[in-house]
Amino acid sequence: MEHLRIDREKTAARIAQDIETLSGPAHTRDAVAIRRYAYTPEYAATIAYFTRELEAIGFTVEQDPVGTLVARNVPKGAPAFGIGSHSDSNRNGGKWDGTLGVVMALEICRLNQELGLGLPLVLISFLEEEGSGFGQMLLGSRIVAGRTTEQAMKETIRELDSGRSFWETAQAAGYQPERWRESKEILDGLIGWIEPHIEQARVLQDTENRIGIVNAIAGYVHADIHVHGRDDHAGATPMNFRLDPTTVLAECILELERLAIEEGHATVGTVGEIEVHPSLINAIARSVRFSLDIRGPRDASYIGVFERISAFAHAAAAKRGMTVEVVERQRNPATPMDARIVAALEAAAAATGAPVLTMHSGAAHDTMCVADTVPTAMVFVPCKDGLSHTPLEDAKPEDAALSVEAILNAIRALV
Ligand code: GLV
Ligand code: MN
Ligand code: MN
């Protein structure tokens, strides 16, 4: 099939316009960062924008029982190719993470209509990819994949702002979490799935590539370690009379760094959240909670580091007369992408004439859950200096337009 060259300038301009619109005050809860998450007015306004744009080009748009957006130009369940990402953001997010992927998918739908290509398409914008509302990454796609339980939705998964359960919060927003088992139907009929996304690292920029084709996504464990000490007076308590949980925190952070480096195989480990109770300058802490985010493309490696840091924390606390609890939040295995879709993307990307790199994704994506039942791949757009999960995130609409051209051509070859 001959490569179809799109009007790249026109596509870049439309992408820039969509991103600008979705960065306006109606779409973020913060004056500097992009901050939007499930069941907030800013998120609803974002979903409403995509709904309007998609209906204008003849798509049927609906939401699954918990709020994942699905748009189709074919009847429900008919064979079609899936494209999309998520349009919630990190709490300290930028304009591009997630949203660019949905905007690019929208642009593919527009081009399909404008150019009369007749491709059967399903666009999905998954709910709560970032965990900004409920502290659980990939929540919408995990519900679709049946990777979370009703009990967790009713009990352990709680809104960060209010402490209310996911179940109650979704119901209060007008959704029907009791029908969550029907969420999986949004993937019915999909013969393939491609998620466009910014890279969130600096590999493409530094190797001067303009399109990234993802052949695997790193797996991860998310957990919390709670260290229990004793809240004594910071001045009156001699050093050898203390049960200070912050000392265990400090040892664990350094040990996690050492373990991840020692393990290799691109394993990474991060303590991103630290809560010290009661957090007073003149009191020894009673307890500390810190989070673990441990990832890599090799399951045995990052899971091994998680097991070793857990054992280390128990031993470090015991040595000082304290105790710890390790509470796992979730884990997702490393996910290989589908070889046929990757090959089609590589061929279409090469035909754009732009420099292309095939690579793995260190960050997690909803595509991990889609991959349970549908052949999948991802396409990365370079981002400035690799910055992501910060308002400084930046990317070029011209690069996104190149990837749109590659994805459109890959889908033409695959359907
Ligand atoms: C998702 O945003 C991640 O942190 O991988
Ligand atoms: Mn994302
Ligand atoms: Mn993200």
Side-chain angles (χ1 to χ4, degrees):
M1 186 181 289
E2 204 182 320
H3 183 81
L4 174 71
R5 192 188 156 116
I6 62 169
D7 181 341
R8 294 175 184 171
E9 291 72 34
K10 185 171 166 189
T11 281
R14 277 199 296 224
I15 289 173
Q17 181 60 55
D18 286 332
I19 290 287
E20 235 7 78
T21 303
L22 296 174
S23 309
H27 299 278
T28 173
R29 295 173 84 73
D30 187 81
V32 179
I34 300 297
R35 179 179 301 165
R36 59 173 170 254
Y37 44 90
Y39 313 137
T40 61
E42 297 77 14
Y43 185 71
T46 303
I47 289 302
Y49 176 78
F50 285 118
T51 303
R52 279 196 304 276
E53 293 296 312
L54 286 155
E55 285 179 347
I57 52 169
F59 276 65
T60 305
V61 187
E62 57 181 28
Q63 294 180 36
D64 83 346
V66 294
T68 284
L69 178 95
V70 195
R72 306 178 176 83
N73 64 357
V74 290
K76 209 170 172 171
F81 206 95
I83 41 177
S85 186
H86 62 95
S87 46
D88 61 317
S89 79
N90 186 270
R91 280 199 176 225
N92 186 40
K95 300 174 181 175
W96 307 84
D97 175 6
T99 305
L100 177 65
V102 185
V103 163
M104 287 168 67
L106 167 62
E107 181 60 18
I108 289 166
C109 296
R110 286 178 180 142
L111 290 168
N112 183 46
Q113 195 231 20
E114 241 169 55
L115 304 173
L117 300 179
L119 299 171
L121 296 173
V122 171
L123 179 151
I124 300 177
S125 175
F126 283 103
L127 184 88
E128 270 301 283
E129 192 270 357
E130 295 287 357
S132 297
F134 295 87
Q136 289 274 332
M137 281 199 331
L138 315 186
L139 186 54
S141 57
R142 282 168 55 229
I143 291 172
V144 167
R147 290 199 195 185
T148 185
T149 63
E150 186 160 317
Q151 193 194 2
M153 288 186 251
K154 285 180 172 160
E155 287 165 24
T156 48
I157 305 178
R158 296 198 163 263
E159 194 178 37
L160 299 177
D161 292 336
S162 68
R164 196 163 58 161
S165 72
F166 173 74
W167 198 267
E168 282 176 74
T169 316
Q171 281 178 334
Y175 292 92
Q176 296 176 293
E178 60 282 359
R179 288 176 48 223
W180 68 270
R181 284 187 181 80
E182 294 165 36
S183 291
K184 69 172 189 312
E185 293 167 13
I186 69 170
L187 303 181
D188 286 355
L190 289 194
I191 56 173
W193 164 263
I194 296 173
E195 178 174 359
H197 203 282
I198 55 164
E199 180 201 349
Q200 306 182 276
R202 54 188 304 150
V203 177
L204 290 173
Q205 173 189 283
D206 290 4
T207 57
E208 296 184 359
N209 282 292
R210 295 185 66 193
I211 305 178
I213 309 294
V214 176
N215 58 7
I217 305 176
Y220 65 91
V221 182
H222 271 185
D224 292 288
I225 297 192
H226 301 261
V227 189
H228 304 289
R230 193 177 59 214
D231 43 348
D232 289 313
H233 191 289
T237 316
M239 293 309 282
N240 56 344
F241 280 77
R242 296 171 176 224
L243 298 178
D244 181 352
T246 64
T247 57
V248 177
L249 163 71
E251 289 192 44
C252 287
I253 291 175
L254 294 177
E255 180 65 5
L256 178 61
E257 180 190 47
R258 197 191 67 73
L259 286 169
I261 292 170
E262 176 185 81
E263 179 63 31
H265 299 289
T267 308
V268 290
T270 306
V271 173
E273 298 172 353
I274 298 175
E275 266 176 27
V276 177
H277 302 285
S279 194
L280 296 170
I281 190 170
N282 57 0
I284 296 164
R286 173 175 67 251
S287 67
V288 166
R289 175 190 73 83
F290 58 98
S291 61
L292 297 177
D293 174 311
I294 309 178
R295 313 196 194 199
R298 188 168 178 264
D299 288 330
S301 291
Y302 69 83
I303 292 171
V305 168
F306 172 58
E307 283 164 358
R308 293 199 286 286
I309 192 67
S310 301
F312 177 88
H314 281 289
K319 195 176 68 190
R320 295 172 178 275
M322 289 177 274
T323 56
V324 301
E325 277 163 86
V326 181
V327 183
E328 195 173 314
R329 284 196 216 180
Q330 57 161 289
R331 64 171 82 184
N332 265 318
T335 313
M337 300 288 95
D338 179 76
R340 181 167 165 261
I341 299 185
V342 169
L345 282 168
E346 285 172 336
T352 65
V356 183
L357 182 72
T358 299
M359 61 195 298
H360 91 268
S361 168
H365 297 284
D366 294 310
T367 292
M368 302 171 92
C369 294
V370 179
D372 282 355
T373 48
V374 179
T376 61
M378 291 189 68
V379 173
F380 276 170
V381 175
C383 60
K384 190 168 188 301
D385 299 333
L387 294 169
S388 186
H389 287 185
T390 153
L392 299 176
E393 208 173 66
D394 200 9
K396 294 190 182 127
E398 307 79 59
D399 288 337
L402 275 176
S403 283
V404 162
E405 184 175 310
I407 296 168
L408 191 66
N409 278 283
I411 297 174
R412 287 172 72 227
L414 288 163
V415 296

